[in-house]
Amino acid sequence: MGQENGVGGDGLAGIPLGTKNKYQRMDLEVREDEDHQQRQMGGRTNADVMKYVVACAVFASLNNVLLGYDVGVMSGAIIFIKEDLNISEVQQEVLVGILSIMSLVGSLGAGKTSDVVGRKWTIGIAAIIFQTGAAIMTMAPSFLVLMIGRLLAGIGIGFGVMIAPVYIAEISPTTSRGLFTSFPEVFINVGILLGYISNFAFAGFSPHINWRIMLAVGILPAVFIAFALFIIPESPRWLVMQNRIDEARAVLMKTTDNVEEADEKLAEIEEAAKKSNDEKFEEKSTWRELLSPTPAVRRMLITGIGIQCFQQATGIDATVYYSPTILKDAGIEDKHKLLAATVSVGLSKTVFILVATFLVDKVGRKPLLYVSTIGMTVCLFVLALSLAIFDDGTASITVAIIAVCSNVAFFSIGLGPVCWILTSEIFPLKLRSQASALGSVGNRVASGMVAMSFLSVTRALTVAGTFFLFSAISILAVAFVHFYVPETKGKSLEQIELLFQKGDEWQTSEVELGDVEHLVQKE
């Protein structure tokens, strides 16, 4: 028997040697398989694939730096704009909030634009529109010209906010899609932090100059975005919809581990595209289908638009835009100290969004949403309570700073990034861009309403009363997550559609929601 196994000597002596040879052969086979895969991929390794996708996600997210920077920098710049241009409180609210209102126009336009010219070039259009607006704001001699620039910047931001998550979701590997789709939210937070730092750095200049420098710095990312357009590929799903199959396969070869996986994903995308082109889908336009949805699409819209609205209705933009006002109400009077304190808010927001990117594909979307919304509810209530009952300046300031920083931290670890991840992955291929645009519209409308009414509401309810209201809305967000948000971790975009086709089971059975194969068998 030892001879048959190729091992000399007695049987006992042959066991370890034979085992060793078996392991050596297995190890050799694994290495040969890996080498074969690398040869199939043109010499690309898994690390090469990840680096390429990371680069695509980073470049696609650069527009979100502009949004974040504008939000962060305006919180401080508005103090000096008010002084330089002598604007009223109502004008201040309109200037801050109009960006969000106009961005919904951009979001609606981006959906159709991205289907016509592609996801990639829509990113470029977003940058051009925003940079034009930013340049006008920087040179504005009056409130009217400043508003014109603000309107253009809002449209550009609407384009960028809508298209980045869609593009990244369509180009990312399934197992790490949550990580990469959270990049836009990461970059928004980086932009907010940079805006706060810019406020603090340039506050020492004269009021006529400092806010212009603050806004001008936001133009710099245009150079990187222009460079990115010559590097990143078009979305393979858009290419398939344009019948550019060979180009789509070439992109998938760069964003998947091997040829077999690339072909499998291409087949899935082609099947989804074919379904989109069936006669039953051709009978009515995409928008008509969204306005008269099937039960499955209706559930998708409830989830996508609902989570977008709750993201802003809980008051995050008010907290960021008006953090100096909130902290001033808590007892900080000096402008430089106010702007320095806001840097800690931006730092908290940025650090915890980075934490979320590493957890979203491991822990899942829904657990992070639970932690986020419950944590925000507590923080908003504590902030409101501290502003309402503390008379001592030191205690009020300390609690307010901790509560504000904790609130933005809880937002960044869940509701901030997961909101965009869900919106970009739950809709079917044909409806994805327009439905994502609708979700962005809900987000921007809620943001604009909060930003444009915050000062007026605080005057009516006090700052403390306003945050009690935000706390109550956050409780509703917890309930919404529980009843209307499924878990999508680890599922392909095509598989996720099955989650919304199961009627009541979609809402009641977490086990079935997590088991796509079981759902398919039940069909």
Short mmCIF file of all heavy atoms in Angstrom, two decimals, residues 107 119 161-170 177-178 181-182 185 290 299-311 365 369 414-429 431-443 480 485-486 488 493 496 500:
data_model
loop_
_atom_site.label_atom_id
_atom_site.label_comp_id
_atom_site.label_asym_id
_atom_site.label_seq_id
_atom_site.Cartn_x
_atom_site.Cartn_y
_atom_site.Cartn_z
N SER A 107 -30.47 67.37 -8.79
CA SER A 107 -30.67 65.93 -8.62
C SER A 107 -31.66 65.39 -9.64
O SER A 107 -31.47 64.31 -10.20
CB SER A 107 -31.17 65.63 -7.20
OG SER A 107 -30.17 65.90 -6.25
N ARG A 119 -22.78 58.01 -16.48
CA ARG A 119 -22.52 58.39 -15.09
C ARG A 119 -21.26 59.24 -14.98
O ARG A 119 -21.21 60.24 -14.27
CB ARG A 119 -22.35 57.17 -14.21
CG ARG A 119 -23.41 56.12 -14.06
CD ARG A 119 -24.75 56.26 -14.60
NE ARG A 119 -25.59 55.12 -14.26
CZ ARG A 119 -26.80 54.93 -14.72
NH1 ARG A 119 -27.33 55.80 -15.56
NH2 ARG A 119 -27.52 53.89 -14.33
N VAL A 161 -24.29 64.99 -5.77
CA VAL A 161 -24.80 64.17 -4.67
C VAL A 161 -25.58 62.97 -5.19
O VAL A 161 -25.49 61.87 -4.64
CB VAL A 161 -25.71 65.02 -3.75
CG1 VAL A 161 -26.52 64.14 -2.83
CG2 VAL A 161 -24.86 65.97 -2.92
N MET A 162 -26.31 63.16 -6.29
CA MET A 162 -27.11 62.06 -6.82
C MET A 162 -26.26 61.03 -7.55
O MET A 162 -26.44 59.82 -7.38
CB MET A 162 -28.18 62.63 -7.77
CG MET A 162 -29.02 61.57 -8.46
SD MET A 162 -28.35 61.21 -10.10
CE MET A 162 -29.08 59.59 -10.37
N ILE A 163 -25.29 61.48 -8.37
CA ILE A 163 -24.63 60.56 -9.28
C ILE A 163 -23.50 59.76 -8.63
O ILE A 163 -23.24 58.62 -9.01
CB ILE A 163 -24.10 61.32 -10.52
CG1 ILE A 163 -23.74 60.34 -11.64
CG2 ILE A 163 -22.91 62.19 -10.16
CD1 ILE A 163 -24.88 59.46 -12.09
N ALA A 164 -22.80 60.32 -7.67
CA ALA A 164 -21.64 59.63 -7.10
C ALA A 164 -21.99 58.26 -6.50
O ALA A 164 -21.34 57.26 -6.82
CB ALA A 164 -20.94 60.52 -6.07
N PRO A 165 -23.02 58.16 -5.62
CA PRO A 165 -23.34 56.83 -5.07
C PRO A 165 -23.80 55.84 -6.12
O PRO A 165 -23.50 54.65 -6.02
CB PRO A 165 -24.46 57.13 -4.05
CG PRO A 165 -24.36 58.59 -3.76
CD PRO A 165 -23.87 59.20 -5.03
N VAL A 166 -24.53 56.32 -7.13
CA VAL A 166 -25.01 55.43 -8.19
C VAL A 166 -23.82 54.87 -8.97
O VAL A 166 -23.73 53.66 -9.21
CB VAL A 166 -25.97 56.19 -9.15
CG1 VAL A 166 -26.29 55.34 -10.37
CG2 VAL A 166 -27.25 56.56 -8.42
N TYR A 167 -22.91 55.73 -9.34
CA TYR A 167 -21.73 55.29 -10.10
C TYR A 167 -20.91 54.28 -9.30
O TYR A 167 -20.53 53.23 -9.81
CB TYR A 167 -20.87 56.50 -10.46
CG TYR A 167 -19.53 56.12 -11.08
CD1 TYR A 167 -19.43 55.86 -12.44
CD2 TYR A 167 -18.39 56.02 -10.30
CE1 TYR A 167 -18.22 55.50 -13.02
CE2 TYR A 167 -17.16 55.65 -10.87
CZ TYR A 167 -17.09 55.40 -12.22
OH TYR A 167 -15.89 55.04 -12.77
N ILE A 168 -20.66 54.60 -8.05
CA ILE A 168 -19.82 53.73 -7.22
C ILE A 168 -20.50 52.38 -6.99
O ILE A 168 -19.86 51.33 -7.03
CB ILE A 168 -19.48 54.41 -5.89
CG1 ILE A 168 -18.64 55.66 -6.16
CG2 ILE A 168 -18.72 53.47 -4.96
CD1 ILE A 168 -18.42 56.52 -4.94
N ALA A 169 -21.81 52.39 -6.73
CA ALA A 169 -22.54 51.13 -6.52
C ALA A 169 -22.47 50.25 -7.75
O ALA A 169 -22.38 49.02 -7.64
CB ALA A 169 -23.99 51.42 -6.15
N GLU A 170 -22.50 50.85 -8.93
CA GLU A 170 -22.52 50.08 -10.16
C GLU A 170 -21.14 49.56 -10.56
O GLU A 170 -21.04 48.67 -11.40
CB GLU A 170 -23.11 50.93 -11.29
CG GLU A 170 -24.59 51.20 -11.11
CD GLU A 170 -25.23 51.95 -12.26
OE1 GLU A 170 -24.49 52.49 -13.10
OE2 GLU A 170 -26.48 51.99 -12.31
N ARG A 177 -19.29 46.64 -1.64
CA ARG A 177 -20.04 47.75 -2.18
C ARG A 177 -20.41 48.77 -1.09
O ARG A 177 -20.37 49.98 -1.32
CB ARG A 177 -21.32 47.25 -2.87
CG ARG A 177 -22.07 48.35 -3.61
CD ARG A 177 -23.32 47.82 -4.31
NE ARG A 177 -24.25 47.25 -3.35
CZ ARG A 177 -24.55 45.95 -3.29
NH1 ARG A 177 -24.00 45.11 -4.13
NH2 ARG A 177 -25.39 45.49 -2.39
N GLY A 178 -20.75 48.29 0.10
CA GLY A 178 -21.10 49.20 1.17
C GLY A 178 -19.95 50.11 1.54
O GLY A 178 -20.13 51.31 1.78
N THR A 181 -19.48 52.61 -1.43
CA THR A 181 -20.61 53.52 -1.60
C THR A 181 -20.70 54.53 -0.47
O THR A 181 -21.37 55.55 -0.59
CB THR A 181 -21.94 52.73 -1.72
OG1 THR A 181 -21.78 51.65 -2.63
CG2 THR A 181 -23.06 53.62 -2.23
N SER A 182 -20.01 54.26 0.63
CA SER A 182 -19.98 55.22 1.73
C SER A 182 -18.93 56.31 1.51
O SER A 182 -18.88 57.29 2.25
CB SER A 182 -19.70 54.50 3.06
OG SER A 182 -18.40 53.93 3.07
N GLU A 185 -20.15 60.03 1.38
CA GLU A 185 -20.44 60.60 2.69
C GLU A 185 -19.15 60.90 3.45
O GLU A 185 -19.06 61.89 4.17
CB GLU A 185 -21.33 59.64 3.50
CG GLU A 185 -21.81 60.21 4.82
CD GLU A 185 -22.78 61.37 4.66
OE1 GLU A 185 -23.38 61.52 3.57
OE2 GLU A 185 -22.94 62.14 5.63
N LEU A 290 -42.58 55.28 -12.02
CA LEU A 290 -42.30 55.71 -10.65
C LEU A 290 -43.53 56.37 -10.02
O LEU A 290 -43.77 56.24 -8.82
CB LEU A 290 -41.12 56.69 -10.64
CG LEU A 290 -39.74 56.08 -10.91
CD1 LEU A 290 -38.69 57.18 -11.04
CD2 LEU A 290 -39.35 55.10 -9.80
N ARG A 299 -42.58 49.88 -2.45
CA ARG A 299 -41.82 49.62 -1.23
C ARG A 299 -40.39 50.18 -1.34
O ARG A 299 -39.84 50.69 -0.37
CB ARG A 299 -41.80 48.12 -0.95
CG ARG A 299 -43.14 47.57 -0.46
CD ARG A 299 -43.02 46.13 0.02
NE ARG A 299 -42.91 45.19 -1.10
CZ ARG A 299 -43.94 44.62 -1.70
NH1 ARG A 299 -45.18 44.93 -1.31
NH2 ARG A 299 -43.77 43.76 -2.68
N MET A 300 -39.81 50.05 -2.53
CA MET A 300 -38.48 50.62 -2.74
C MET A 300 -38.50 52.14 -2.54
O MET A 300 -37.60 52.72 -1.91
CB MET A 300 -37.99 50.30 -4.15
CG MET A 300 -37.72 48.83 -4.42
SD MET A 300 -37.30 48.57 -6.17
CE MET A 300 -37.25 46.78 -6.24
N LEU A 301 -39.52 52.79 -3.09
CA LEU A 301 -39.61 54.24 -2.99
C LEU A 301 -39.83 54.69 -1.54
O LEU A 301 -39.25 55.69 -1.09
CB LEU A 301 -40.76 54.76 -3.87
CG LEU A 301 -40.53 54.66 -5.38
CD1 LEU A 301 -41.81 55.00 -6.14
CD2 LEU A 301 -39.40 55.59 -5.81
N ILE A 302 -40.66 53.94 -0.82
CA ILE A 302 -40.89 54.28 0.60
C ILE A 302 -39.57 54.21 1.36
O ILE A 302 -39.23 55.11 2.14
CB ILE A 302 -41.92 53.33 1.22
CG1 ILE A 302 -43.31 53.61 0.65
CG2 ILE A 302 -41.93 53.47 2.75
CD1 ILE A 302 -44.36 52.59 1.07
N THR A 303 -38.82 53.13 1.12
CA THR A 303 -37.54 52.97 1.82
C THR A 303 -36.54 54.03 1.40
O THR A 303 -35.92 54.69 2.24
CB THR A 303 -36.96 51.57 1.54
OG1 THR A 303 -37.86 50.58 2.02
CG2 THR A 303 -35.61 51.41 2.22
N GLY A 304 -36.36 54.20 0.07
CA GLY A 304 -35.35 55.12 -0.43
C GLY A 304 -35.61 56.57 -0.11
O GLY A 304 -34.74 57.27 0.41
N ILE A 305 -36.83 57.05 -0.40
CA ILE A 305 -37.15 58.45 -0.15
C ILE A 305 -37.31 58.70 1.35
O ILE A 305 -36.89 59.74 1.87
CB ILE A 305 -38.43 58.85 -0.91
CG1 ILE A 305 -38.20 58.71 -2.42
CG2 ILE A 305 -38.84 60.28 -0.57
CD1 ILE A 305 -39.42 58.99 -3.27
N GLY A 306 -37.90 57.74 2.05
CA GLY A 306 -38.11 57.90 3.50
C GLY A 306 -36.81 58.06 4.26
O GLY A 306 -36.66 58.96 5.09
N ILE A 307 -35.83 57.20 3.98
CA ILE A 307 -34.57 57.28 4.71
C ILE A 307 -33.82 58.56 4.37
O ILE A 307 -33.14 59.15 5.22
CB ILE A 307 -33.70 56.03 4.43
CG1 ILE A 307 -32.62 55.87 5.49
CG2 ILE A 307 -33.09 56.07 3.05
CD1 ILE A 307 -33.13 55.52 6.85
N GLN A 308 -33.97 59.04 3.11
CA GLN A 308 -33.35 60.30 2.72
C GLN A 308 -33.96 61.48 3.47
O GLN A 308 -33.24 62.38 3.93
CB GLN A 308 -33.50 60.51 1.21
CG GLN A 308 -32.68 59.58 0.35
CD GLN A 308 -31.24 60.07 0.17
OE1 GLN A 308 -30.80 61.01 0.84
NE2 GLN A 308 -30.51 59.43 -0.71
N CYS A 309 -35.27 61.49 3.59
CA CYS A 309 -35.94 62.58 4.31
C CYS A 309 -35.59 62.58 5.80
O CYS A 309 -35.32 63.64 6.38
CB CYS A 309 -37.46 62.49 4.11
SG CYS A 309 -38.02 62.85 2.44
N PHE A 310 -35.59 61.41 6.40
CA PHE A 310 -35.26 61.34 7.83
C PHE A 310 -33.81 61.75 8.09
O PHE A 310 -33.49 62.29 9.15
CB PHE A 310 -35.52 59.93 8.37
CG PHE A 310 -36.92 59.72 8.84
CD1 PHE A 310 -37.77 58.84 8.18
CD2 PHE A 310 -37.41 60.42 9.93
CE1 PHE A 310 -39.07 58.64 8.62
CE2 PHE A 310 -38.71 60.24 10.38
CZ PHE A 310 -39.55 59.35 9.72
N GLN A 311 -32.93 61.49 7.12
CA GLN A 311 -31.53 61.88 7.32
C GLN A 311 -31.42 63.38 7.61
O GLN A 311 -30.63 63.82 8.46
CB GLN A 311 -30.69 61.54 6.08
CG GLN A 311 -29.20 61.70 6.32
CD GLN A 311 -28.42 61.96 5.05
OE1 GLN A 311 -28.75 62.85 4.27
NE2 GLN A 311 -27.37 61.18 4.84
N ARG A 365 -26.11 47.10 7.20
CA ARG A 365 -26.70 48.44 7.14
C ARG A 365 -27.66 48.71 8.31
O ARG A 365 -27.60 49.74 8.96
CB ARG A 365 -27.50 48.61 5.84
CG ARG A 365 -26.70 48.84 4.57
CD ARG A 365 -25.75 47.78 4.20
NE ARG A 365 -25.42 47.78 2.77
CZ ARG A 365 -24.32 47.24 2.30
NH1 ARG A 365 -23.43 46.68 3.11
NH2 ARG A 365 -24.09 47.24 1.00
N LEU A 369 -27.84 51.57 11.38
CA LEU A 369 -28.94 52.54 11.43
C LEU A 369 -29.59 52.57 12.80
O LEU A 369 -29.98 53.65 13.30
CB LEU A 369 -29.97 52.21 10.36
CG LEU A 369 -29.60 52.57 8.92
CD1 LEU A 369 -30.67 52.08 7.95
CD2 LEU A 369 -29.40 54.08 8.76
N GLY A 414 -23.90 55.93 10.95
CA GLY A 414 -25.02 55.16 10.41
C GLY A 414 -25.87 55.93 9.41
O GLY A 414 -25.77 55.73 8.20
N LEU A 415 -26.71 56.83 9.89
CA LEU A 415 -27.70 57.48 9.04
C LEU A 415 -27.05 58.27 7.91
O LEU A 415 -27.58 58.31 6.79
CB LEU A 415 -28.58 58.42 9.89
CG LEU A 415 -29.86 58.96 9.25
CD1 LEU A 415 -30.74 57.82 8.76
CD2 LEU A 415 -30.61 59.85 10.23
N GLY A 416 -25.89 58.86 8.16
CA GLY A 416 -25.20 59.63 7.12
C GLY A 416 -24.83 58.79 5.91
O GLY A 416 -25.34 59.00 4.81
N PRO A 417 -23.94 57.79 6.06
CA PRO A 417 -23.52 57.01 4.90
C PRO A 417 -24.53 55.97 4.44
O PRO A 417 -24.69 55.76 3.24
CB PRO A 417 -22.24 56.33 5.40
CG PRO A 417 -22.40 56.22 6.88
CD PRO A 417 -23.15 57.46 7.28
N VAL A 418 -25.21 55.29 5.36
CA VAL A 418 -26.10 54.19 4.98
C VAL A 418 -27.27 54.69 4.15
O VAL A 418 -27.77 53.98 3.26
CB VAL A 418 -26.58 53.43 6.23
CG1 VAL A 418 -27.62 52.37 5.86
CG2 VAL A 418 -25.40 52.77 6.93
N CYS A 419 -27.72 55.90 4.43
CA CYS A 419 -28.80 56.50 3.65
C CYS A 419 -28.47 56.47 2.16
O CYS A 419 -29.27 56.01 1.33
CB CYS A 419 -29.00 57.94 4.12
SG CYS A 419 -29.94 58.98 3.00
N TRP A 420 -27.27 56.90 1.80
CA TRP A 420 -26.88 56.95 0.38
C TRP A 420 -26.58 55.56 -0.16
O TRP A 420 -26.83 55.28 -1.35
CB TRP A 420 -25.65 57.86 0.22
CG TRP A 420 -25.94 59.26 0.61
CD1 TRP A 420 -25.53 59.91 1.74
CD2 TRP A 420 -26.72 60.21 -0.13
NE1 TRP A 420 -26.01 61.19 1.75
CE2 TRP A 420 -26.74 61.41 0.63
CE3 TRP A 420 -27.40 60.16 -1.34
CZ2 TRP A 420 -27.43 62.55 0.19
CZ3 TRP A 420 -28.08 61.30 -1.76
CH2 TRP A 420 -28.09 62.47 -1.01
N ILE A 421 -26.07 54.69 0.68
CA ILE A 421 -25.80 53.32 0.24
C ILE A 421 -27.11 52.63 -0.16
O ILE A 421 -27.22 52.03 -1.23
CB ILE A 421 -25.10 52.52 1.36
CG1 ILE A 421 -23.69 53.07 1.60
CG2 ILE A 421 -25.03 51.03 1.00
CD1 ILE A 421 -23.01 52.49 2.82
N LEU A 422 -28.11 52.73 0.70
CA LEU A 422 -29.40 52.09 0.42
C LEU A 422 -30.04 52.64 -0.85
O LEU A 422 -30.54 51.90 -1.69
CB LEU A 422 -30.35 52.29 1.61
CG LEU A 422 -30.12 51.42 2.84
CD1 LEU A 422 -31.01 51.88 3.99
CD2 LEU A 422 -30.41 49.96 2.51
N THR A 423 -30.02 53.97 -0.99
CA THR A 423 -30.66 54.59 -2.14
C THR A 423 -30.00 54.15 -3.44
O THR A 423 -30.67 54.01 -4.48
CB THR A 423 -30.60 56.12 -2.03
OG1 THR A 423 -31.18 56.51 -0.78
CG2 THR A 423 -31.39 56.78 -3.14
N SER A 424 -28.70 53.92 -3.40
CA SER A 424 -27.99 53.57 -4.63
C SER A 424 -28.11 52.09 -4.98
O SER A 424 -27.80 51.70 -6.11
CB SER A 424 -26.50 53.93 -4.49
OG SER A 424 -25.88 53.14 -3.50
N GLU A 425 -28.58 51.24 -4.04
CA GLU A 425 -28.55 49.80 -4.31
C GLU A 425 -29.91 49.12 -4.34
O GLU A 425 -30.01 47.97 -4.76
CB GLU A 425 -27.65 49.09 -3.30
CG GLU A 425 -28.11 49.14 -1.86
CD GLU A 425 -27.09 48.55 -0.89
OE1 GLU A 425 -25.97 48.21 -1.32
OE2 GLU A 425 -27.42 48.44 0.31
N ILE A 426 -30.98 49.79 -3.91
CA ILE A 426 -32.26 49.07 -3.78
C ILE A 426 -33.12 49.13 -5.04
O ILE A 426 -34.05 48.32 -5.19
CB ILE A 426 -33.09 49.61 -2.59
CG1 ILE A 426 -33.48 51.07 -2.80
CG2 ILE A 426 -32.35 49.38 -1.28
CD1 ILE A 426 -34.39 51.62 -1.70
N PHE A 427 -32.83 50.05 -5.97
CA PHE A 427 -33.71 50.20 -7.14
C PHE A 427 -33.22 49.37 -8.32
O PHE A 427 -32.01 49.19 -8.51
CB PHE A 427 -33.79 51.68 -7.55
CG PHE A 427 -34.42 52.56 -6.51
CD1 PHE A 427 -33.65 53.44 -5.77
CD2 PHE A 427 -35.78 52.49 -6.26
CE1 PHE A 427 -34.22 54.25 -4.80
CE2 PHE A 427 -36.37 53.29 -5.29
CZ PHE A 427 -35.58 54.17 -4.56
N PRO A 428 -34.16 48.85 -9.17
CA PRO A 428 -33.76 48.09 -10.35
C PRO A 428 -33.04 48.98 -11.36
O PRO A 428 -33.14 50.21 -11.31
CB PRO A 428 -35.10 47.58 -10.91
CG PRO A 428 -36.13 48.52 -10.37
CD PRO A 428 -35.63 48.94 -9.02
N LEU A 429 -32.33 48.35 -12.28
CA LEU A 429 -31.44 49.06 -13.19
C LEU A 429 -32.13 50.19 -13.94
O LEU A 429 -31.64 51.31 -13.99
CB LEU A 429 -30.82 48.06 -14.17
CG LEU A 429 -29.85 48.64 -15.21
CD1 LEU A 429 -28.68 49.32 -14.51
CD2 LEU A 429 -29.35 47.53 -16.13
N LEU A 431 -34.75 51.91 -13.30
CA LEU A 431 -35.27 52.99 -12.48
C LEU A 431 -34.21 53.63 -11.59
O LEU A 431 -34.49 54.63 -10.93
CB LEU A 431 -36.39 52.46 -11.58
CG LEU A 431 -37.55 51.72 -12.25
CD1 LEU A 431 -38.55 51.25 -11.21
CD2 LEU A 431 -38.22 52.63 -13.27
N ARG A 432 -33.00 53.06 -11.58
CA ARG A 432 -32.04 53.43 -10.54
C ARG A 432 -31.69 54.91 -10.53
O ARG A 432 -31.73 55.56 -9.48
CB ARG A 432 -30.77 52.59 -10.69
CG ARG A 432 -29.77 52.79 -9.55
CD ARG A 432 -28.69 51.74 -9.59
NE ARG A 432 -29.27 50.42 -9.41
CZ ARG A 432 -28.89 49.33 -10.05
NH1 ARG A 432 -27.91 49.41 -10.94
NH2 ARG A 432 -29.46 48.18 -9.82
N SER A 433 -31.36 55.47 -11.67
CA SER A 433 -30.91 56.86 -11.67
C SER A 433 -32.04 57.82 -11.32
O SER A 433 -31.88 58.72 -10.49
CB SER A 433 -30.31 57.23 -13.03
OG SER A 433 -31.23 57.01 -14.07
N GLN A 434 -33.24 57.62 -11.92
CA GLN A 434 -34.35 58.52 -11.63
C GLN A 434 -34.86 58.34 -10.20
O GLN A 434 -35.20 59.32 -9.53
CB GLN A 434 -35.49 58.31 -12.63
CG GLN A 434 -35.28 58.98 -13.97
CD GLN A 434 -34.47 58.09 -14.90
OE1 GLN A 434 -34.01 57.02 -14.51
NE2 GLN A 434 -34.32 58.52 -16.14
N ALA A 435 -34.95 57.10 -9.74
CA ALA A 435 -35.42 56.86 -8.37
C ALA A 435 -34.43 57.41 -7.36
O ALA A 435 -34.82 57.98 -6.33
CB ALA A 435 -35.63 55.36 -8.15
N SER A 436 -33.13 57.26 -7.63
CA SER A 436 -32.12 57.84 -6.76
C SER A 436 -32.23 59.36 -6.75
O SER A 436 -32.03 60.01 -5.72
CB SER A 436 -30.72 57.42 -7.21
OG SER A 436 -30.54 56.03 -7.08
N ALA A 437 -32.59 59.91 -7.91
CA ALA A 437 -32.79 61.36 -7.99
C ALA A 437 -33.95 61.79 -7.11
O ALA A 437 -33.88 62.81 -6.42
CB ALA A 437 -33.04 61.77 -9.45
N LEU A 438 -35.03 61.01 -7.11
CA LEU A 438 -36.16 61.32 -6.24
C LEU A 438 -35.75 61.28 -4.77
O LEU A 438 -36.17 62.12 -3.97
CB LEU A 438 -37.31 60.34 -6.49
CG LEU A 438 -38.16 60.55 -7.74
CD1 LEU A 438 -39.23 59.46 -7.83
CD2 LEU A 438 -38.82 61.93 -7.70
N GLY A 439 -34.94 60.28 -4.42
CA GLY A 439 -34.45 60.21 -3.05
C GLY A 439 -33.62 61.43 -2.70
O GLY A 439 -33.76 62.00 -1.60
N SER A 440 -32.77 61.87 -3.62
CA SER A 440 -31.97 63.06 -3.39
C SER A 440 -32.84 64.30 -3.26
O SER A 440 -32.54 65.19 -2.48
CB SER A 440 -30.97 63.25 -4.55
OG SER A 440 -30.05 62.18 -4.61
N VAL A 441 -33.92 64.34 -4.03
CA VAL A 441 -34.86 65.46 -3.92
C VAL A 441 -35.45 65.52 -2.52
O VAL A 441 -35.53 66.58 -1.89
CB VAL A 441 -35.98 65.34 -4.98
CG1 VAL A 441 -37.10 66.32 -4.67
CG2 VAL A 441 -35.42 65.61 -6.36
N GLY A 442 -35.90 64.36 -2.02
CA GLY A 442 -36.43 64.32 -0.66
C GLY A 442 -35.40 64.79 0.36
O GLY A 442 -35.73 65.55 1.29
N ASN A 443 -34.16 64.37 0.17
CA ASN A 443 -33.08 64.77 1.07
C ASN A 443 -32.86 66.27 1.03
O ASN A 443 -32.76 66.94 2.07
CB ASN A 443 -31.80 64.04 0.65
CG ASN A 443 -30.62 64.33 1.55
OD1 ASN A 443 -30.02 65.40 1.47
ND2 ASN A 443 -30.27 63.37 2.40
N PHE A 480 -38.99 54.01 11.70
CA PHE A 480 -38.95 53.82 10.25
C PHE A 480 -37.91 52.76 9.87
O PHE A 480 -38.17 51.90 9.04
CB PHE A 480 -38.63 55.14 9.56
CG PHE A 480 -38.58 55.04 8.06
CD1 PHE A 480 -39.74 55.16 7.31
CD2 PHE A 480 -37.38 54.82 7.40
CE1 PHE A 480 -39.71 55.05 5.93
CE2 PHE A 480 -37.33 54.71 6.02
CZ PHE A 480 -38.51 54.83 5.28
N VAL A 485 -36.84 49.26 6.51
CA VAL A 485 -35.50 49.10 5.92
C VAL A 485 -35.05 47.65 6.01
O VAL A 485 -34.89 47.12 7.11
CB VAL A 485 -34.47 50.01 6.63
CG1 VAL A 485 -33.08 49.78 6.04
CG2 VAL A 485 -34.87 51.47 6.49
N PRO A 486 -34.84 46.97 4.88
CA PRO A 486 -34.32 45.60 4.89
C PRO A 486 -32.79 45.61 4.98
O PRO A 486 -32.15 46.64 4.76
CB PRO A 486 -34.78 45.05 3.55
CG PRO A 486 -34.74 46.24 2.65
CD PRO A 486 -35.14 47.42 3.51
N THR A 488 -29.35 44.68 3.30
CA THR A 488 -28.89 44.44 1.94
C THR A 488 -27.41 44.03 1.89
O THR A 488 -26.86 43.90 0.80
CB THR A 488 -29.08 45.70 1.07
OG1 THR A 488 -28.35 46.79 1.66
CG2 THR A 488 -30.55 46.08 0.99
N LEU A 493 -26.75 43.78 -6.67
CA LEU A 493 -27.83 44.73 -6.94
C LEU A 493 -29.05 44.03 -7.52
O LEU A 493 -30.19 44.41 -7.25
CB LEU A 493 -27.33 45.81 -7.91
CG LEU A 493 -26.17 46.68 -7.40
CD1 LEU A 493 -25.74 47.66 -8.48
CD2 LEU A 493 -26.56 47.41 -6.13
N ILE A 496 -30.97 42.16 -4.69
CA ILE A 496 -31.69 43.04 -3.77
C ILE A 496 -33.13 43.28 -4.23
O ILE A 496 -34.04 43.45 -3.42
CB ILE A 496 -30.93 44.37 -3.59
CG1 ILE A 496 -29.63 44.11 -2.80
CG2 ILE A 496 -31.77 45.40 -2.84
CD1 ILE A 496 -28.70 45.31 -2.74
N PHE A 500 -37.71 43.11 -2.25
CA PHE A 500 -38.89 43.99 -2.27
C PHE A 500 -40.07 43.38 -3.04
O PHE A 500 -41.08 44.03 -3.23
CB PHE A 500 -38.50 45.33 -2.90
CG PHE A 500 -37.57 46.14 -2.06
CD1 PHE A 500 -36.19 45.98 -2.17
CD2 PHE A 500 -38.04 47.05 -1.13
CE1 PHE A 500 -35.31 46.71 -1.40
CE2 PHE A 500 -37.18 47.78 -0.34
CZ PHE A 500 -35.81 47.62 -0.47
#
